[in-house]
Amino acid sequence: MEDINLHYRFLNLRRRIREIREVRPLRYRDRMKRMLRDGDVLRYHGNSDEVGCFVAARPLTKRNRYFEVTIVDTGVRGMIAVGLVPQLYKLDHQPGWLPNSVAFHADDGKLYNGNTVGQQFGPKCCRGDRIGCGISLESDDGQLIVFFTKNGKEVGSLEMPADEALYPAVGMHSLGEEVLLDLNAEWRMEEDEGLMIVDSHEDDWGRLHDVRVSGTLLEYMGKGKSIVDVGLAQALRPLNTRFHYYELEITDAGEKCYIALGLARKDYPKNRHPGWSRGSIAYHADDGKLFQGSGVGDAFGPRCFEGDLMGCGIMFPRDFCHEGVDVADDWDPEACSQPADVQNDLYKDLYNNEDDDDEGEDLEGAKVTVFFTRNRKVVGRREVALPTGGFYPTIGMMSAGEKVKVDLHPLSG
């Protein structure tokens, strides 16, 4: 009898292992049926009699709590749905039709909340409209607040049980339907008016070439065919003793991960990767090399991949004053004469190391120490001459699909 029990336990264990193996690959992989994905574009690929559904690989979280869909083509009937569903949602149903799912439907403006019968909720949506969906903080009774937007304005919200993770989902149901998906769109609360608005962050950037900004996300939009197809983003203001460090997260390495993070003069050429030309220095993700005013890089640090954080900052001399450097309007001139106390452990020991690794370029200006980090650990540093006007945070990308999230003030607040 005991042998029989052991036999059945063994069979149950094998069955459990098989179930785990079947579910585990789905953890970080998009799921879709009767849909085609080409980059950020989703297209219906059915016969209009059957639903097509897309479910993103990762759920919404407190860090990534909002996404948007732009309608490129409404097709025959415009039966496009945007919402949230459980991870293993049945892909032959529109989002919102089954329990624990919710969606805003473009064709009738109705909200479907775990039911095939919708409730009047907002306006209909057509070609060119942006539909957003996100989550906010849990309500007092432990429910999750889900909200929807149209073209950056809130349409409405509802409460849902916070029992399981909810994944971005898009449904389609007629020929020709096509949307542009942005899983990294950002949403914030406007404190003064109590209204939610989309924060584009475009004002943070002085120059953008073949780069699209969506919140803190930068996306390469160039051809990616040759070394002159550089996408360049340069911040509006240079680093200074108040804001002396910035970083990015590689959210999509694209085809080649030709992503460069560094500093450059204000008039830096738009078709040159940071570090390649005079008046610039940059750490390149694809090969881990440091480029300082030259197309030939030096071995510097490890390569960087999707999910890695890359940072760049300046250690200014203690007696440094911003003469000829473009700083913020609210900058306090008295701060120039005050020694800067190191407040962050990631580079506190840099002040204590006075050795010169390499000399910078022969440019007019004070000598400063530029340092780079990977996953908030210092990779290395170089002493360089500060260009007239200062060093501006500059990011370069050069292959299709590359995307990074940028924080220009990670040490503030």
Side-chain angles (χ1 to χ4, degrees):
M1 187 68 178
E2 191 171 332
D3 291 341
I4 295 176
N5 288 336
L6 287 173
H7 176 69
Y8 279 111
R9 287 180 185 176
F10 177 70
L11 291 178
N12 287 333
L13 180 61
R14 288 182 61 186
R15 179 174 56 81
R16 180 60 181 152
I17 291 173
R18 186 168 60 249
E19 290 175 351
I20 292 173
R21 285 176 176 173
E22 289 174 353
V23 172
R24 186 175 294 170
L26 299 174
R27 188 175 179 186
Y28 297 120
R29 189 175 65 191
D30 296 338
R31 300 174 59 236
M32 68 185 79
K33 189 174 184 179
R34 302 184 189 94
M35 303 271 272
L36 293 177
R37 183 173 184 179
D38 181 9
D40 291 332
V41 176
L42 293 176
R43 298 183 180 91
Y44 179 70
H45 191 61
N47 58 13
S48 291
D49 293 329
E50 299 170 309
V51 170
C53 187
F54 165 87
V55 179
R58 289 178 169 81
L60 292 188
T61 62
K62 289 183 178 179
R63 183 176 180 183
N64 296 309
R65 60 192 185 99
Y66 179 75
F67 75 102
E68 281 188 343
V69 166
T70 301
I71 300 176
V72 178
D73 197 326
T74 56
V76 177
R77 291 178 287 179
M79 300 177 71
I80 298 169
V82 179
L84 301 172
V85 302
Q87 183 184 23
L88 299 180
Y89 192 77
K90 294 182 179 179
L91 299 179
D92 52 357
H93 290 71
Q94 281 273 32
W97 282 3
L98 298 180
N100 302 318
S101 71
V102 62
F104 180 36
H105 286 221
D107 60 315
D108 55 14
K110 290 184 178 181
L111 183 76
Y112 291 75
N113 185 11
N115 200 309
T116 55
V117 178
Q119 300 175 335
Q120 199 56 49
F121 185 67
K124 296 180 181 180
C125 301
C126 56
R127 183 175 181 178
D129 285 335
R130 292 191 340 265
I131 304 173
C133 177
I135 57 175
S136 58
L137 300 177
E138 295 180 3
S139 60
D140 295 336
D141 56 357
Q143 299 281 303
L144 190 69
I145 299 175
V146 178
F147 63 91
F148 292 89
T149 67
K150 179 187 176 185
N151 297 330
K153 296 182 179 180
E154 186 179 2
V155 175
S157 63
L158 74 156
E159 293 184 352
M160 290 187 66
D163 298 333
E164 59 182 322
L166 294 175
Y167 291 71
V170 179
M172 300 185 195
H173 203 174
S174 74
L175 292 173
E177 291 171 347
E178 181 178 324
V179 301
L180 182 67
L181 179 68
D182 186 356
L183 293 173
N184 294 289
E186 295 218 345
W187 187 257
R188 68 180 176 89
M189 178 73 77
E190 184 71 28
E191 295 180 359
D192 295 338
E193 301 179 0
L195 298 175
M196 286 184 166
I197 64 170
V198 174
D199 185 6
S200 70
H201 286 261
E202 286 190 9
D203 292 342
D204 292 337
W205 302 97
R207 298 167 61 206
L208 293 167
H209 174 68
D210 281 345
V211 172
R212 182 172 66 186
V213 179
S214 178
T216 59
L217 184 80
L218 300 183
E219 179 181 359
Y220 177 66
M221 301 300 291
K223 298 177 181 179
K225 301 296 184 182
S226 71
I227 62 171
V228 297
D229 292 331
V230 174
L232 194 78
Q234 189 174 71
L236 181 64
R237 298 191 182 281
L239 294 186
N240 54 54
T241 53
R242 185 176 180 184
F243 298 114
H244 54 279
Y245 175 78
Y246 81 104
E247 64 185 18
L248 64 78
E249 176 187 356
I250 302 176
T251 59
D252 195 328
E255 292 183 358
K256 305 283 188 177
C257 198
Y258 287 155
I259 296 169
L261 163 128
L263 302 169
R265 66 181 192 266
K266 189 172 184 178
D267 58 348
Y268 191 77
K270 65 181 181 180
N271 62 345
R272 297 285 288 171
H273 231 12
W276 284 359
S277 293
R278 182 173 177 269
S280 70
I281 182 171
Y283 179 27
H284 287 218
D286 62 307
D287 55 13
K289 291 184 177 181
L290 184 76
F291 290 76
Q292 185 177 342
S294 170
V296 179
D298 298 325
F300 185 68
R303 297 169 61 194
C304 300
F305 305 94
E306 186 171 320
D308 282 338
L309 292 172
M310 301 175 67
C312 178
I314 297 178
M315 294 292 101
F316 292 95
R318 296 183 184 276
D319 58 351
F320 180 80
C321 189
H322 291 273
E323 291 184 9
V325 177
D326 180 18
V327 296
D329 295 336
D330 58 353
W331 174 249
D332 183 5
E334 294 182 2
C336 294
S337 59
Q338 300 296 324
D341 294 329
V342 179
Q343 300 292 335
N344 193 286
D345 289 339
L346 57 114
Y347 51 85
K348 63 183 180 182
D349 45 319
L350 287 174
Y351 270 126
N352 301 322
N353 192 340
E354 300 297 332
D355 295 335
D356 297 337
D357 288 346
D358 284 312
E359 290 191 4
E361 298 174 50
D362 186 17
L363 295 174
E364 295 294 331
K367 290 291 183 72
V368 296
T369 299
V370 175
F371 66 95
F372 295 90
T373 66
R374 178 178 180 267
N375 297 326
R376 294 180 176 163
K377 293 183 179 180
V378 175
V379 174
R381 64 188 179 87
R382 288 289 185 274
E383 186 180 78
V384 299
L386 194 69
T388 302
F391 262 141
Y392 289 73
T394 306
I395 295 166
M397 294 181 276
M398 211 170 63
S399 76
E402 292 172 346
K403 299 177 186 177
V404 297
K405 271 190 173 181
V406 182
D407 189 348
L408 291 173
H409 307 300
L411 304 183
S412 63

